[in-house]
Amino acid sequence: MSSQTSQGSGSKSDDEAALRAMYQQMMDGWNKGNGEAFATPYCEDSDLVGFDGTHLKGRQEIASFHQQLFNKFLKGSHLVGKIRSIRFLTPNVAVIHAVGGTVMAGQSDIDPDRNSVHTLVAMKRGGDGGKWCLAAFQNTRAHYIGRPEESQILTEELQQEL
């Protein structure tokens, strides 16, 4: 996992650790099938754009929508993910690039058709002493048109996270 940091804050390693913990917290909420836990890392006024173009606005809508998914379509599924990079745009704003995969209920391996690329924007509220939250999340399905080898490479990378 590579990460790029800007100079000047002095505690970028602490910030990077906090960002990685937020991403893991989101996945843990998914794996518990708990919409509230999934949405906890999000800012109150955050945006989430799902793989199908659904745009959710705010932590409460993100929690409610995902709880419906966990209760029906994604019940018993397991999410795995990996942060590939973190780039600090300012000491209080970071862009996170990650990848994720889903093991559907009753399965033991990742469904390659559900592999995704994640772009997240995190912000620290209240200055340097503040707490990080996810301001935006874009989830894009990884369908490498005409490049099946890229899909296989991503699946193998995510299988290492199982």
Side-chain angles (χ1 to χ4, degrees):
M1 291 183 267
S2 69
S3 52
Q4 303 168 357
T5 59
S6 60
Q7 301 296 321
S9 173
S11 65
K12 290 298 181 201
S13 62
D14 291 342
D15 287 333
E16 185 175 317
L19 295 170
R20 290 181 185 282
M22 274 193 335
Y23 187 76
Q24 184 63 50
Q25 182 181 23
M26 183 182 67
M27 286 192 304
D28 290 346
W30 178 297
N31 294 335
K32 292 175 187 169
N34 184 316
E36 287 292 326
F38 174 83
T40 295
Y42 288 86
C43 305
E44 196 63 39
D45 59 348
S46 59
D47 290 279
L48 183 148
V49 177
F51 77 92
D52 65 350
T54 299
H55 182 191
L56 305 173
K57 184 72 175 158
R59 185 186 306 136
Q60 285 307 108
E61 188 174 4
I62 292 167
S64 175
F65 182 84
H66 280 82
Q67 190 61 57
Q68 292 173 35
L69 292 176
F70 298 147
N71 290 344
K72 192 171 183 180
F73 302 108
L74 297 173
K75 188 172 189 158
S77 66
H78 180 78
L79 186 67
V80 296
K82 177 181 177 182
I83 291 178
R84 287 183 165 172
S85 68
I86 297 173
R87 181 168 53 116
F88 291 92
L89 303 179
T90 73
N92 297 323
V93 177
V95 173
I96 302 164
H97 286 108
V99 290
T102 307
V103 178
M104 296 305 288
Q107 302 297 313
S108 60
D109 201 2
I110 293 167
D111 179 350
D113 290 336
R114 292 181 169 272
N115 290 347
S116 296
V117 177
H118 303 157
T119 302
L120 305 96
V121 177
M123 59 187 286
K124 189 189 289 188
R125 299 247 167 132
D128 284 337
K131 185 176 176 181
W132 287 96
C133 64
L134 297 174
F137 179 105
Q138 169 76 44
N139 182 23
T140 303
R141 284 280 164 86
H143 293 285
Y144 300 105
I145 298 169
R147 297 175 291 144
E149 67 281 359
E150 292 297 321
S151 180
Q152 182 63 33
I153 290 168
L154 177 56
T155 298
E156 291 172 4
E157 179 182 0
L158 290 167
Q159 287 170 329
Q160 298 300 311
E161 302 300 314
L162 288 174

PDB file of all heavy atoms in Angstrom, residues 1-6 12-13 16 20 83-88 95:
ATOM      1  N   MET A   1       0.854  -1.171   0.000  1.00  0.00           N
ATOM      2  CA  MET A   1       0.000   0.000   0.000  1.00  0.00           C
ATOM      3  C   MET A   1       0.893   1.224   0.000  1.00  0.00           C
ATOM      4  O   MET A   1       1.672   1.420   0.922  1.00  0.00           O
ATOM      5  CB  MET A   1      -0.874   0.016   1.248  1.00  0.00           C
ATOM      6  CG  MET A   1      -1.905  -1.080   1.239  1.00  0.00           C
ATOM      7  SD  MET A   1      -2.988  -1.010   2.670  1.00  0.00           S
ATOM      8  CE  MET A   1      -2.120  -2.114   3.763  1.00  0.00           C
ATOM      9  N   SER A   2       0.771   2.013  -0.998  1.00  0.00           N
ATOM     10  CA  SER A   2       1.585   3.208  -1.049  1.00  0.00           C
ATOM     11  C   SER A   2       0.763   4.393  -0.618  1.00  0.00           C
ATOM     12  O   SER A   2      -0.449   4.398  -0.699  1.00  0.00           O
ATOM     13  CB  SER A   2       2.117   3.428  -2.460  1.00  0.00           C
ATOM     14  OG  SER A   2       1.068   3.768  -3.318  1.00  0.00           O
ATOM     15  N   SER A   3       1.448   5.386  -0.136  1.00  0.00           N
ATOM     16  CA  SER A   3       0.754   6.615   0.217  1.00  0.00           C
ATOM     17  C   SER A   3       1.686   7.778  -0.005  1.00  0.00           C
ATOM     18  O   SER A   3       2.890   7.655   0.119  1.00  0.00           O
ATOM     19  CB  SER A   3       0.254   6.574   1.658  1.00  0.00           C
ATOM     20  OG  SER A   3       1.295   6.230   2.530  1.00  0.00           O
ATOM     21  N   GLN A   4       1.079   8.879  -0.369  1.00  0.00           N
ATOM     22  CA  GLN A   4       1.830  10.102  -0.575  1.00  0.00           C
ATOM     23  C   GLN A   4       1.370  11.078   0.486  1.00  0.00           C
ATOM     24  O   GLN A   4       0.196  11.169   0.783  1.00  0.00           O
ATOM     25  CB  GLN A   4       1.545  10.689  -1.947  1.00  0.00           C
ATOM     26  CG  GLN A   4       1.847   9.741  -3.077  1.00  0.00           C
ATOM     27  CD  GLN A   4       1.305  10.230  -4.391  1.00  0.00           C
ATOM     28  OE1 GLN A   4       0.643  11.251  -4.477  1.00  0.00           O
ATOM     29  NE2 GLN A   4       1.574   9.484  -5.433  1.00  0.00           N
ATOM     30  N   THR A   5       2.325  11.805   1.058  1.00  0.00           N
ATOM     31  CA  THR A   5       1.954  12.781   2.067  1.00  0.00           C
ATOM     32  C   THR A   5       2.593  14.107   1.736  1.00  0.00           C
ATOM     33  O   THR A   5       3.640  14.184   1.118  1.00  0.00           O
ATOM     34  CB  THR A   5       2.403  12.330   3.478  1.00  0.00           C
ATOM     35  OG1 THR A   5       3.824  12.159   3.470  1.00  0.00           O
ATOM     36  CG2 THR A   5       1.742  11.033   3.886  1.00  0.00           C
ATOM     37  N   SER A   6       1.924  15.169   2.155  1.00  0.00           N
ATOM     38  CA  SER A   6       2.491  16.500   1.971  1.00  0.00           C
ATOM     39  C   SER A   6       3.241  16.884   3.235  1.00  0.00           C
ATOM     40  O   SER A   6       3.046  16.316   4.292  1.00  0.00           O
ATOM     41  CB  SER A   6       1.382  17.513   1.680  1.00  0.00           C
ATOM     42  OG  SER A   6       0.469  17.549   2.747  1.00  0.00           O
ATOM     43  N   LYS A  12       1.378  13.331   9.914  1.00  0.00           N
ATOM     44  CA  LYS A  12       0.732  12.670   8.781  1.00  0.00           C
ATOM     45  C   LYS A  12       0.604  11.172   9.015  1.00  0.00           C
ATOM     46  O   LYS A  12      -0.370  10.567   8.566  1.00  0.00           O
ATOM     47  CB  LYS A  12       1.482  12.938   7.466  1.00  0.00           C
ATOM     48  CG  LYS A  12       1.346  14.367   6.997  1.00  0.00           C
ATOM     49  CD  LYS A  12      -0.091  14.718   6.703  1.00  0.00           C
ATOM     50  CE  LYS A  12      -0.195  16.137   6.225  1.00  0.00           C
ATOM     51  NZ  LYS A  12      -1.522  16.687   6.388  1.00  0.00           N
ATOM     52  N   SER A  13       1.571  10.565   9.709  1.00  0.00           N
ATOM     53  CA  SER A  13       1.447   9.130   9.958  1.00  0.00           C
ATOM     54  C   SER A  13       0.245   8.848  10.857  1.00  0.00           C
ATOM     55  O   SER A  13      -0.463   7.858  10.649  1.00  0.00           O
ATOM     56  CB  SER A  13       2.734   8.557  10.550  1.00  0.00           C
ATOM     57  OG  SER A  13       3.009   9.155  11.804  1.00  0.00           O
ATOM     58  N   GLU A  16      -2.777   9.330   8.579  1.00  0.00           N
ATOM     59  CA  GLU A  16      -2.915   8.196   7.672  1.00  0.00           C
ATOM     60  C   GLU A  16      -3.488   6.988   8.415  1.00  0.00           C
ATOM     61  O   GLU A  16      -4.369   6.289   7.897  1.00  0.00           O
ATOM     62  CB  GLU A  16      -1.575   7.846   7.037  1.00  0.00           C
ATOM     63  CG  GLU A  16      -1.705   6.750   6.010  1.00  0.00           C
ATOM     64  CD  GLU A  16      -0.413   6.467   5.264  1.00  0.00           C
ATOM     65  OE1 GLU A  16       0.281   7.415   4.873  1.00  0.00           O
ATOM     66  OE2 GLU A  16      -0.140   5.272   5.059  1.00  0.00           O
ATOM     67  N   ARG A  20      -6.985   5.047   7.499  1.00  0.00           N
ATOM     68  CA  ARG A  20      -7.048   3.601   7.278  1.00  0.00           C
ATOM     69  C   ARG A  20      -8.044   2.955   8.250  1.00  0.00           C
ATOM     70  O   ARG A  20      -8.796   2.055   7.870  1.00  0.00           O
ATOM     71  CB  ARG A  20      -5.666   2.973   7.420  1.00  0.00           C
ATOM     72  CG  ARG A  20      -4.734   3.360   6.285  1.00  0.00           C
ATOM     73  CD  ARG A  20      -3.355   2.698   6.418  1.00  0.00           C
ATOM     74  NE  ARG A  20      -2.477   3.190   5.380  1.00  0.00           N
ATOM     75  CZ  ARG A  20      -2.502   2.800   4.113  1.00  0.00           C
ATOM     76  NH1 ARG A  20      -3.371   1.895   3.731  1.00  0.00           N
ATOM     77  NH2 ARG A  20      -1.659   3.304   3.236  1.00  0.00           N
ATOM     78  N   ILE A  83      -6.694  -0.222   0.813  1.00  0.00           N
ATOM     79  CA  ILE A  83      -6.311   1.134   0.420  1.00  0.00           C
ATOM     80  C   ILE A  83      -5.024   1.033  -0.389  1.00  0.00           C
ATOM     81  O   ILE A  83      -4.043   0.444   0.058  1.00  0.00           O
ATOM     82  CB  ILE A  83      -6.124   2.046   1.648  1.00  0.00           C
ATOM     83  CG1 ILE A  83      -7.473   2.302   2.307  1.00  0.00           C
ATOM     84  CG2 ILE A  83      -5.445   3.355   1.240  1.00  0.00           C
ATOM     85  CD1 ILE A  83      -7.404   3.158   3.562  1.00  0.00           C
ATOM     86  N   ARG A  84      -5.075   1.616  -1.575  1.00  0.00           N
ATOM     87  CA  ARG A  84      -3.885   1.637  -2.431  1.00  0.00           C
ATOM     88  C   ARG A  84      -3.058   2.902  -2.233  1.00  0.00           C
ATOM     89  O   ARG A  84      -1.844   2.865  -2.352  1.00  0.00           O
ATOM     90  CB  ARG A  84      -4.284   1.512  -3.890  1.00  0.00           C
ATOM     91  CG  ARG A  84      -4.751   0.118  -4.273  1.00  0.00           C
ATOM     92  CD  ARG A  84      -5.050   0.069  -5.741  1.00  0.00           C
ATOM     93  NE  ARG A  84      -5.172  -1.293  -6.229  1.00  0.00           N
ATOM     94  CZ  ARG A  84      -5.583  -1.582  -7.438  1.00  0.00           C
ATOM     95  NH1 ARG A  84      -5.903  -0.616  -8.296  1.00  0.00           N
ATOM     96  NH2 ARG A  84      -5.684  -2.841  -7.823  1.00  0.00           N
ATOM     97  N   SER A  85      -3.736   4.018  -1.975  1.00  0.00           N
ATOM     98  CA  SER A  85      -2.982   5.260  -1.767  1.00  0.00           C
ATOM     99  C   SER A  85      -3.807   6.266  -0.982  1.00  0.00           C
ATOM    100  O   SER A  85      -5.039   6.239  -1.003  1.00  0.00           O
ATOM    101  CB  SER A  85      -2.545   5.876  -3.102  1.00  0.00           C
ATOM    102  OG  SER A  85      -3.665   6.355  -3.820  1.00  0.00           O
ATOM    103  N   ILE A  86      -3.089   7.116  -0.287  1.00  0.00           N
ATOM    104  CA  ILE A  86      -3.670   8.261   0.418  1.00  0.00           C
ATOM    105  C   ILE A  86      -2.846   9.470   0.007  1.00  0.00           C
ATOM    106  O   ILE A  86      -1.613   9.441   0.085  1.00  0.00           O
ATOM    107  CB  ILE A  86      -3.615   8.083   1.949  1.00  0.00           C
ATOM    108  CG1 ILE A  86      -4.447   6.875   2.375  1.00  0.00           C
ATOM    109  CG2 ILE A  86      -4.084   9.359   2.646  1.00  0.00           C
ATOM    110  CD1 ILE A  86      -4.318   6.523   3.849  1.00  0.00           C
ATOM    111  N   ARG A  87      -3.526  10.504  -0.443  1.00  0.00           N
ATOM    112  CA  ARG A  87      -2.842  11.742  -0.835  1.00  0.00           C
ATOM    113  C   ARG A  87      -3.471  12.895  -0.075  1.00  0.00           C
ATOM    114  O   ARG A  87      -4.682  13.108  -0.149  1.00  0.00           O
ATOM    115  CB  ARG A  87      -2.961  11.976  -2.337  1.00  0.00           C
ATOM    116  CG  ARG A  87      -2.241  13.232  -2.790  1.00  0.00           C
ATOM    117  CD  ARG A  87      -2.109  13.306  -4.305  1.00  0.00           C
ATOM    118  NE  ARG A  87      -3.365  13.139  -4.984  1.00  0.00           N
ATOM    119  CZ  ARG A  87      -3.938  14.079  -5.734  1.00  0.00           C
ATOM    120  NH1 ARG A  87      -3.352  15.249  -5.916  1.00  0.00           N
ATOM    121  NH2 ARG A  87      -5.085  13.857  -6.337  1.00  0.00           N
ATOM    122  N   PHE A  88      -2.662  13.626   0.662  1.00  0.00           N
ATOM    123  CA  PHE A  88      -3.154  14.787   1.407  1.00  0.00           C
ATOM    124  C   PHE A  88      -3.124  16.008   0.492  1.00  0.00           C
ATOM    125  O   PHE A  88      -2.065  16.426   0.040  1.00  0.00           O
ATOM    126  CB  PHE A  88      -2.313  15.021   2.658  1.00  0.00           C
ATOM    127  CG  PHE A  88      -2.503  13.933   3.687  1.00  0.00           C
ATOM    128  CD1 PHE A  88      -1.660  12.829   3.702  1.00  0.00           C
ATOM    129  CD2 PHE A  88      -3.533  14.006   4.595  1.00  0.00           C
ATOM    130  CE1 PHE A  88      -1.850  11.819   4.621  1.00  0.00           C
ATOM    131  CE2 PHE A  88      -3.727  13.003   5.524  1.00  0.00           C
ATOM    132  CZ  PHE A  88      -2.889  11.905   5.540  1.00  0.00           C
ATOM    133  N   VAL A  95      -7.417  12.497  -0.264  1.00  0.00           N
ATOM    134  CA  VAL A  95      -8.061  11.636  -1.256  1.00  0.00           C
ATOM    135  C   VAL A  95      -7.509  10.234  -1.041  1.00  0.00           C
ATOM    136  O   VAL A  95      -6.295  10.037  -0.956  1.00  0.00           O
ATOM    137  CB  VAL A  95      -7.777  12.114  -2.696  1.00  0.00           C
ATOM    138  CG1 VAL A  95      -8.317  11.120  -3.707  1.00  0.00           C
ATOM    139  CG2 VAL A  95      -8.375  13.484  -2.922  1.00  0.00           C
TER     140      VAL A  95
END
